[in-house]
Amino acid sequence: AQSVTQPDIHITVSEGASLELRCNYSYGATPYLFWYVQSPGQGLQLLLKYFSGDTLVQGIKGFEAEFKRSQSSFNLRKPSVHWSDAAEYFCAVVGSGGGADGLTFGKGTHLIIQP
Amino acid sequence: DVKVTQSSRYLVKRTGEKVFLECVQDMDHENMFWYRQDPGLGLRLIYFSYDVKMKEKGDIPEGYSVSREKKERFSLILESASTNQTSMYLCASSLQGGNEQFFGPGTRLTVL
């Protein structure tokens, strides 16, 4: 069965500092990978996705993520965080087989921005 | 833009009541999903549907059922609500399996 691990429950970063959120996945075949963000009281918004091709993917709001098959990782990065980036971040995986499968989510990382 | 709407943002029900959560998407997506979100547990898949009148169990279907009579609408039903079903419920849709899912704003359900 597929699984996603986000090792950090909470991360605190100073405004303007760089950010890296970790995500490790377990999946037997080629996965599709996603990062979603959830602001308080809101639904999930897609930040970026990896299906194939270039392993460094760019997303919205200045985020990027790198797929590393050898490490089964898909870490999210941002060079300089803004106070508005404070939110919950979820990594997710689904199989690329084309079936209508639900996403498997990590438990999330809560990002706190210090002024 | 894809829009996924959910009938209520907040809902309070009593134990034993039958509860309907409605979800509508406006982009002709084939697939629709129901998740519940709990602190420290992330999102867990309850049920999904890949076509009208078709449904598949997700990871935690116990205590829930679903209905999809029209392509754009996917309902989650709690036959007899219990306090352990107090949660945030999120609906999502996608064009086909493996593609990104678009989420609604969520319904926060409290069962007293």
Side-chain angles (χ1 to χ4, degrees), chain A residues 22-105:
Chain A
R22 296 183 290 165
C23 172
N24 293 96
Y25 69 91
S26 173
Y27 190 74
T30 303
Y32 288 168
L33 295 157
F34 306 84
W35 274 100
Y36 283 87
V37 62
Q38 185 180 36
S39 298
Q42 304 297 314
L44 274 69
Q45 180 183 22
L46 181 70
L47 282 176
L48 47 78
K49 60 191 177 187
Y50 173 77
F51 286 172
S52 64
D54 192 347
T55 56
L56 184 64
V57 294
Q58 302 297 320
I60 62 171
K61 304 185 180 186
F63 286 92
E64 67 178 26
E66 186 171 13
F67 172 59
K68 293 185 177 180
R69 185 185 299 275
S70 61
Q71 298 177 20
S72 297
S73 69
F74 189 57
N75 294 348
L76 182 71
R77 300 193 295 249
K78 186 170 185 179
S80 176
V81 298
H82 186 262
W83 63 266
S84 60
D85 293 324
E88 192 85 15
Y89 291 80
F90 293 95
C91 181
V93 64
V94 70
S96 59
D101 298 321
L103 294 169
T104 297
F105 285 86

Side-chain angles (χ1 to χ4, degrees), chain A residues 32 36 38 41 49 99-100 103, chain B residues 9 35 37 48 97-98 100-101:
Chain A
Y32 288 168
Y36 283 87
Q38 185 180 36
K49 60 191 177 187
L103 294 169
Chain B
R9 293 299 303 274
Y35 296 87
Q37 181 181 13
F48 63 97
E100 65 187 270
Q101 294 182 15

Side-chain angles (χ1 to χ4, degrees), chain B:
Chain B
D1 279 352
V2 174
K3 192 165 185 183
V4 180
T5 57
Q6 296 183 228
S7 52
S8 304
R9 293 299 303 274
Y10 300 93
L11 208 53
V12 179
K13 296 292 182 180
R14 297 213 173 269
T15 302
E17 280 192 78
K18 190 169 186 176
V19 181
F20 293 86
L21 303 183
E22 305 287 337
C23 175
V24 177
Q25 50 94 4
D26 66 358
M27 283 300 289
D28 204 34
H29 283 177
E30 289 83 7
N31 305 327
M32 296 188 75
F33 308 83
W34 275 107
Y35 296 87
R36 66 175 282 175
Q37 181 181 13
D38 301 288
L41 296 178
L43 281 80
R44 294 176 291 167
L45 181 65
I46 305 172
Y47 267 97
F48 63 97
S49 168
Y50 55 87
D51 201 353
V52 176
K53 297 192 184 296
M54 306 304 291
K55 60 184 179 184
E56 295 285 343
K57 292 180 179 179
D59 299 318
I60 51 165
E62 296 78 18
Y64 304 94
S65 63
V66 290
S67 172
R68 194 167 181 201
E69 296 297 319
K70 293 184 178 182
K71 190 175 185 179
E72 68 271 17
R73 188 179 298 269
F74 191 36
S75 302
L76 180 69
I77 303 158
L78 287 64
E79 295 288 343
S80 178
S82 64
T83 55
N84 63 13
Q85 292 178 310
T86 291
S87 187
M88 169 73 91
Y89 290 89
L90 292 162
C91 176
S93 70
S94 71
L95 261 175
Q96 62 184 49
N99 283 352
E100 65 187 270
Q101 294 182 15
F102 296 86
F103 283 82
T107 295
R108 184 165 295 282
L109 172 67
T110 301
V111 182
L112 301 176

